[in-house]
Amino acid sequence: MTKKAGRRSLVTLTTAALALSLLAGCGGNNNGGNSANGANSGEGGNAGTPAATESASTAAPAETGIDTSKKVELQFYMLGDAPKDLPIIQDEINKMAQEELNATVKFNYTSWTDWDQKYKLLLSSGQAIDLIFTADWTQYQSYAKRGAFLAIDDLLPKAAPELQKFVPESMWEDVKVDGKIYTVPATYKEYVTNGFVYREDLRKKYNLPVPKDLASYEAYMDGIVANEPDLMPMSLNSDIGNNLHYIYTELNKMVGALPYGMGVKYESPTTVYSYWGSDEQKEELKTMKRWADKGFIPKNVLNIKDTMQDPITSGKAASMFGDNPTRYNDMKMKISTTHPEWELAYSPFGLTTGYATPVHPIHNGFAIPKSSKNPERALAFYEKLVLDKRYNLLTQYGIEGKNYTVENGYYKLVGTSTSNGFSREGMNGWAWRNPEYMLFDQGFDGVKAIFDELDKIQKPDLFLGFAEDYSSYQAEKAVLEQVEKQYLFPLQAGLVEDIDKGLDTFLQKAKQAGLEKIQAEWTKQWNAYVAEKGIK
Amino acid sequence: MRQRTRKTGTPLAIELPVQGGGPAASPLGAGTIKKKKKGFLHELIHNRVLFLMLLPTLLFFLVNSYFPMVGVYYAFTQFDFNSGLFDAPFVGFKNFEFLWKSGTLVKLTLNTIGYNLAFILLGNVLAIVCAILLSELRVKWFKKLTQSIMFLPYFVSFVILSVIVYNVFNYDSGFLNTLLARFGAGPVDVYNKPLVWIFLIILFYLWKNLGYSMVIYLAAITGISDEYYEAAKIDGAHIFQRIWYITVPMLKSTFVVLLLFSLGSIMKGQFDLFYQLIGNNGVLYNTTDILDTYVFRSLKVTFDIGMATAAGLYQSLFGFILIMTVNYIIRKINDDYALF
């Protein structure tokens, strides 16, 4: 009898535990990573305060530098995939850093798969990180605003005085968020504005117009469809927003990739209007519908997961609506080795719009997260990475003679990109490029030519310095983004038969999500920004 | 044995002292509760070895499932890089706003439950049918072969499945449209037809999971003693009668247990399946969006721990209520089949 009772309560207990675990499991998943947060952010705070107090004394010349008596390991985080030879490079770097800074560094990479989530997790889980890549496309401004990074204004003169002098004052000014510096900007000047990428050999063969604006681009694609029915006229994937919509608006002189259907033209940055529902948007949707009907946009475009560039380099697509000069050049180089008979050409939007904006300093940078245990050493190390030629060349190009050689001042890869364990800028070191040490591939002369051309019409980027604070409409924002995906993307991809009706549905759903509140708040913040920076 | 004692219908509390062998001769009444406590303590000592063996499991759940539940508090706070869990500003139900603000919460919940019900019911019924058919097969090699073939899709990852599905249904060069063109029919734009996907998703779920759940039932059938069948045969029952009156009733408890287990996660859906097959295709969201995919997409863009926890909490709470209700109903109908 006793045995039976024991077994039964055992069964009851285990099943109860199991059942409850179902409930607990869900909660657990979301919070597993956070428990460490409290402890770490506390330490981050502590690490920040001594620096702040010490800085008071550094008002006097701070030649003393930083305290390097304790050996530390710096955690360095970069996006993308690590090069094969990274361990070798890391060892080399550590030999020098050990001696000069009494520190070693561990280079960590997120890989490109789901990098955005990993990035967000890295910052919000409170994991100890000393240096992390920042860019406008990783939401530097909003993270800085919400306090994810350490303000380095006071740290700079102490830990990296040379670096502070090296980066122009105007750039430090540009990366400021709420009056504080949170990232070290890259000083290399480049353009990441878009331009039409197209197969020149096909254009010549069928005597098609050079894509210069929407009309000529459309005519070019018409010709491709008529003559090369097996070829996709343009490369596209499911990211309609970035690959169709924002490129279209860039051609239409929007000040940048504006969210929430806001409209601000480059010529009139103080005038904010609602792009959604405007005639201008209807024109865009009509164009896309026409393109879809003509077969430029594949019917299942929303399910295509390819990268944008692969179909071009593999010869499946004839053109790209827009890409930046550097990426265009990469494709061109790739094709020149695999299919020398193909020819790729480029016509930058700047020639149509009449201006081009060089990259904003926010576009590439490195910040010290709040969770960092060694902010001083991290900054000192970063200074080495940028300014010390040995560190810089090693992390940008690998080991000379083994990974690359220099011929007539040009960079030359040893072997091929697959056999070589460290290709040019293999560590994705865009942020610590130093224009004085930079080596270029001979093929890059093409990009330089484009840059020179764009230099003639350059105008400053007005948009990237704007740090949006969405904390007051976070819920609305999350909902709106879903509404966009569900109702706007199909419209922007030309998949909806009745544009007016589709647009009405979308606008109605967007209003329901709180569009008006978001737009009002955004407009307020934009106006404040424009006034603060004195943009007219 | 267990069935007999339970069928009396008396509550557990009253029975315990009797079974515990303690001084249980006293009549029922006010003293019952006190005795129950004593009974448990007594049992704890009495079965200490068994309880000791249970300890690791309890610890496992405590550490992995109960302690992290503290984090549920995040659902009511505004995440801040500068503060820890308990000093983050309390915002009440603000984090839940994004769930109902869209007006899609009802749709999402219904989709989630609808798909899961289809998965659970269709999946189990088909698995039972297939298991019975297979168990009646007498040719051994054919039985094993069929079983393996049905099991194989279980190992196909959803990522690969999505590639297969894409290659079958894509408009320009998909298998389906190429085939249709061969027969002179016009192409079908499957990725633009939301209704079709209800069937496709259920179909692919079954294709992938049927083999696995079938094995569970097959094992249960193997456990049924041959004597029943022999006796039935002698009584002249033909094969359908044997299946209907012996196999099916014997599988009932397995079915109920599996049902209850799956009901607990009814709010979670098959994230991989939906996410991989549908992905970014907003055209199909009306019929294919479930809570998991919606929450994932929203928070992928606006990463916020508070909102993520809020969504998780909603799912868990809903699942908890559901499993408690269903278990309660089942206990009312037949005490033996209830989980607890």
Side-chain angles (χ1 to χ4, degrees):
Chain A
M1 283 297 256
T2 39
K3 216 188 234 168
K4 194 169 55 189
R7 194 167 65 205
R8 192 167 66 184
S9 30
L10 195 85
V11 168
T12 328
L13 263 173
T14 11
T15 40
L18 268 172
L20 279 169
S21 73
L22 291 174
L23 164 78
C26 324
N29 282 345
N30 293 325
N31 303 310
N34 312 335
S35 44
N37 182 50
N40 278 333
S41 60
E43 278 170 69
N46 289 341
T49 33
T53 43
E54 271 164 316
S55 70
S57 60
T58 48
E63 291 302 315
T64 41
I66 54 166
D67 172 26
T68 56
S69 57
K70 207 175 116 231
K71 183 185 179 305
V72 295
E73 182 175 55
L74 299 170
Q75 293 297 329
F76 183 103
Y77 270 87
M78 187 58 210
L79 301 178
D81 301 295
K84 244 185 293 169
D85 281 356
L86 180 66
I88 304 168
I89 305 294
Q90 185 172 305
D91 285 345
E92 289 293 317
I93 290 285
N94 281 342
K95 265 184 231 159
M96 296 190 282
Q98 171 78 61
E99 202 172 296
E100 289 152 24
L101 294 168
N102 196 20
T104 53
V105 61
K106 169 110 183 49
F107 293 104
N108 303 287
Y109 281 76
T110 61
S111 92
W112 283 123
T113 339
D114 290 330
W115 64 267
D116 44 354
Q117 271 140 288
K118 288 177 193 156
Y119 189 82
K120 285 160 185 167
L121 268 178
L122 282 173
L123 283 179
S124 43
S125 68
Q127 185 182 341
I129 299 166
D130 298 299
L131 284 164
I132 194 161
F133 177 74
T134 63
D136 51 322
W137 45 276
T138 67
Q139 269 80 49
Y140 158 73
Q141 301 96 315
S142 96
Y143 278 118
K145 198 150 191 140
R146 288 190 291 153
F149 305 127
L150 200 66
I152 52 173
D153 303 66
D154 301 328
L155 217 52
L156 271 171
K158 186 161 176 268
E162 291 303 314
L163 188 63
Q164 193 184 22
K165 272 177 238 151
F166 176 73
V167 177
E169 189 55 41
S170 68
M171 284 196 169
W172 288 122
E173 203 52 49
D174 279 343
V175 299
K176 275 187 183 170
V177 171
D178 291 340
K180 292 262 180 209
I181 300 169
Y182 293 97
T183 194
V184 181
T187 52
Y188 170 59
K189 182 181 171 192
E190 61 174 337
Y191 290 85
V192 289
T193 46
N194 287 309
F196 299 104
V197 178
Y198 58 96
R199 284 277 295 278
E200 172 73 2
D201 55 322
L202 295 176
R203 192 193 70 76
K204 280 189 208 139
K205 188 170 165 196
Y206 302 114
N207 194 23
L208 303 173
V210 175
K212 282 226 172 303
D213 49 24
L214 277 177
S216 52
Y217 183 48
E218 193 171 329
Y220 172 85
M221 288 197 289
D222 276 333
I224 295 293
V225 171
N227 296 300
E228 295 273 352
D230 290 337
L231 213 59
M232 282 156 55
M234 70 199 295
S235 170
L236 277 176
N237 62 24
S238 65
D239 192 1
I240 290 300
N242 283 323
N243 297 329
L244 269 179
H245 168 69
Y246 281 132
I247 292 177
Y248 184 92
T249 53
E250 185 178 334
L251 256 180
N252 278 300
K253 306 186 185 180
M254 276 294 181
V255 75
L258 301 175
Y260 325 125
M262 302 305 312
V264 179
K265 284 290 163 78
Y266 192 88
E267 291 103 337
S268 51
T270 47
T271 324
V272 184
Y273 63 98
S274 177
Y275 179 74
W276 287 345
S278 67
D279 289 339
E280 200 184 344
Q281 191 200 14
K282 281 202 185 120
E283 185 56 42
E284 176 199 344
L285 300 182
K286 268 186 217 151
T287 309
M288 292 310 150
K289 178 82 181 60
R290 194 169 65 238
W291 286 13
D293 290 343
K294 284 181 175 178
F296 301 166
I297 305 173
K299 277 207 159 45
N300 39 260
V301 60
L302 293 173
N303 287 80
I304 300 179
K305 293 174 184 168
D306 294 336
T307 68
M308 289 292 285
Q309 288 79 18
D310 279 351
I312 302 275
T313 49
S314 63
K316 276 198 287 186
S319 77
M320 233 168 106
F321 193 9
D323 210 346
N324 66 47
T326 312
R327 269 207 295 248
Y328 149 72
N329 199 57
D330 289 345
M331 286 188 273
K332 193 183 162 100
M333 303 273 291
K334 211 173 208 172
I335 284 178
S336 70
T337 55
T338 51
H339 293 277
E341 73 277 13
W342 298 350
E343 200 185 329
L344 216 56
Y346 187 75
S347 61
F349 289 171
L351 302 181
T352 320
T353 57
Y355 67 93
T357 52
V359 82
H360 192 277
I362 284 176
H363 192 67
N364 277 314
F366 257 84
I368 301 175
K370 274 257 166 68
S371 61
S372 167
K373 293 204 175 91
N374 316 294
E376 294 183 357
R377 212 79 65 89
L379 205 55
F381 173 76
Y382 195 70
E383 182 183 53
K384 289 263 179 218
L385 210 53
V386 180
L387 294 179
D388 193 313
K389 197 167 182 177
R390 299 166 303 155
Y391 285 71
N392 190 273
L393 290 183
L394 201 55
T395 51
Q396 295 289 14
Y397 312 110
I399 297 166
E400 188 169 3
K402 179 172 176 259
N403 298 113
Y404 74 102
T405 51
V406 182
E407 278 172 26
N408 309 326
Y410 285 115
Y411 166 93
K412 196 164 184 306
L413 189 77
V414 173
T416 66
S417 53
T418 40
S419 69
N420 197 313
F422 199 103
S423 51
R424 185 173 179 275
E425 295 188 346
M427 282 176 67
N428 298 342
W430 320 299
W432 64 92
R433 281 169 180 159
N434 184 334
E436 289 165 27
Y437 307 142
M438 270 177 93
L439 296 168
F440 294 97
D441 203 291
Q442 194 149 15
F444 198 78
D445 284 352
V447 180
K448 279 188 174 158
I450 298 173
F451 283 180
D452 286 342
E453 208 175 341
L454 294 176
D455 267 342
K456 289 178 210 148
I457 48 169
Q458 65 167 309
K459 281 187 185 176
D461 186 328
L462 303 178
F463 174 61
L464 274 192
F466 173 54
E468 177 196 351
D469 175 14
Y470 51 73
S471 51
S472 65
Y473 50 87
Q474 195 165 2
E476 287 83 359
K477 176 179 148 81
V479 177
L480 183 65
E481 268 150 4
Q482 292 318 304
V483 171
E484 273 181 64
K485 208 160 210 179
Q486 183 165 0
Y487 298 99
L488 185 62
F489 277 23
L491 275 169
Q492 288 176 338
L495 295 171
V496 180
E497 272 313 310
D498 188 340
I499 294 175
D500 291 320
K501 204 170 134 235
L503 189 59
D504 282 346
T505 317
F506 164 66
L507 286 175
Q508 185 210 329
K509 295 275 177 192
K511 282 217 177 76
Q512 213 178 325
L515 178 66
E516 276 150 4
K517 181 182 170 190
I518 299 177
Q519 290 195 332
E521 183 62 30
W522 194 93
T523 310
K524 205 172 88 196
Q525 290 183 22
W526 174 263
N527 287 337
Y529 164 76
V530 172
E532 183 203 324
K533 296 268 171 180
I535 298 168
K536 268 181 231 115
Chain B
M1 285 264 274
R2 184 169 154 248
Q3 283 185 4
R4 217 182 304 134
T5 46
R6 275 202 145 189
K7 260 191 188 139
T8 56
T10 37
L12 197 70
I14 303 169
E15 273 188 10
L16 261 175
V18 185
Q19 291 173 342
S26 65
L28 310 173
T32 329
I33 295 166
K34 205 175 139 196
K35 274 189 195 114
K36 178 192 156 197
K37 270 186 189 160
K38 195 180 172 189
F40 180 71
L41 200 76
H42 183 88
E43 183 171 316
L44 201 68
I45 299 162
H46 207 86
N47 292 316
R48 54 190 178 279
V49 181
L50 283 178
F51 277 106
L52 211 64
M53 286 160 77
L54 193 63
L55 200 65
T57 320
L58 280 178
L59 270 178
F60 177 84
F61 281 111
L62 218 57
V63 171
N64 284 307
S65 306
Y66 287 88
F67 291 159
M69 266 207 244
V70 178
V72 162
Y73 185 68
Y74 269 122
F76 305 99
T77 59
Q78 168 86 55
F79 177 76
D80 192 336
F81 285 103
N82 298 313
S83 58
L85 171 55
F86 290 105
D87 47 347
F90 185 83
V91 293
F93 283 93
K94 195 164 163 273
N95 284 328
F96 291 84
E97 243 171 55
F98 87 105
L99 282 173
W100 68 69
K101 194 128 209 162
S102 55
T104 51
L105 187 63
V106 178
K107 187 192 82 191
L108 290 172
T109 310
L110 285 179
N111 273 355
T112 314
I113 294 177
Y115 275 110
N116 271 300
L117 280 181
F119 291 164
I120 293 169
L121 293 178
L122 276 177
N124 276 303
V125 168
L126 272 176
I128 291 177
V129 170
C130 291
I132 290 173
L133 288 179
L134 264 191
S135 69
E136 293 297 336
L137 276 177
R138 290 287 163 249
V139 189
K140 208 159 183 190
W141 66 266
F142 184 70
K143 187 174 162 181
K144 289 273 170 223
L145 187 73
T146 319
Q147 198 180 328
S148 306
I149 289 175
M150 288 182 74
F151 204 95
L152 274 180
Y154 186 74
F155 297 110
V156 175
S157 93
F158 281 116
V159 183
I160 292 169
L161 179 66
S162 81
V163 177
I164 297 175
V165 170
Y166 179 73
N167 280 308
V168 171
F169 293 121
N170 109 43
Y171 184 84
D172 296 310
S173 53
F175 171 76
L176 181 72
N177 282 344
T178 326
L179 198 74
L180 285 175
R182 189 71 47 85
F183 291 117
V188 188
D189 189 4
V190 182
Y191 277 107
N192 220 346
K193 291 194 168 46
L195 286 176
V196 179
W197 286 89
I198 300 179
F199 300 102
L200 285 180
I201 283 182
I202 295 175
L203 181 81
F204 285 113
Y205 173 85
L206 292 177
W207 174 76
K208 191 162 162 9
N209 288 297
L210 190 57
Y212 185 79
S213 37
M214 187 190 72
V215 167
I216 300 176
Y217 285 109
L218 212 54
I221 291 175
T222 324
I224 302 172
S225 166
D226 270 344
E227 286 169 25
Y228 294 118
Y229 293 104
E230 275 158 26
K233 242 185 231 169
I234 292 166
D235 285 347
H238 59 68
I239 184 159
F240 294 112
Q241 284 171 326
R242 289 203 301 269
I243 290 171
W244 189 249
Y245 291 109
I246 298 171
T247 320
V248 173
M250 294 295 257
L251 287 179
K252 217 152 91 187
S253 62
T254 315
F255 174 72
V256 173
V257 170
L258 285 182
L259 178 77
L260 280 173
F261 276 136
S262 38
L263 279 179
S265 51
I266 199 166
M267 291 302 285
K268 294 215 211 151
Q270 293 276 330
F271 172 75
D272 300 23
L273 174 68
F274 289 87
Y275 185 70
Q276 293 298 342
L277 288 196
I278 308 300
N280 284 324
N281 195 337
V283 184
L284 307 177
Y285 284 167
N286 264 329
T287 57
T288 60
D289 215 9
I290 57 171
L291 266 169
D292 272 351
T293 44
Y294 182 81
V295 167
F296 177 78
R297 282 199 321 270
S298 328
L299 302 174
K300 193 178 168 183
V301 200
T302 326
F303 186 82
D304 185 86
I305 287 170
M307 278 153 76
T309 317
L313 186 62
Y314 170 75
Q315 282 176 301
S316 306
L317 216 59
F318 206 97
F320 181 69
I321 293 168
L322 205 71
I323 197 168
M324 289 313 265
T325 324
V326 175
N327 193 57
Y328 176 79
I329 295 170
I330 288 178
R331 205 170 52 212
K332 279 269 145 160
I333 298 169
N334 191 337
D335 201 18
D336 286 334
Y337 292 144
L339 270 182
F340 49 87

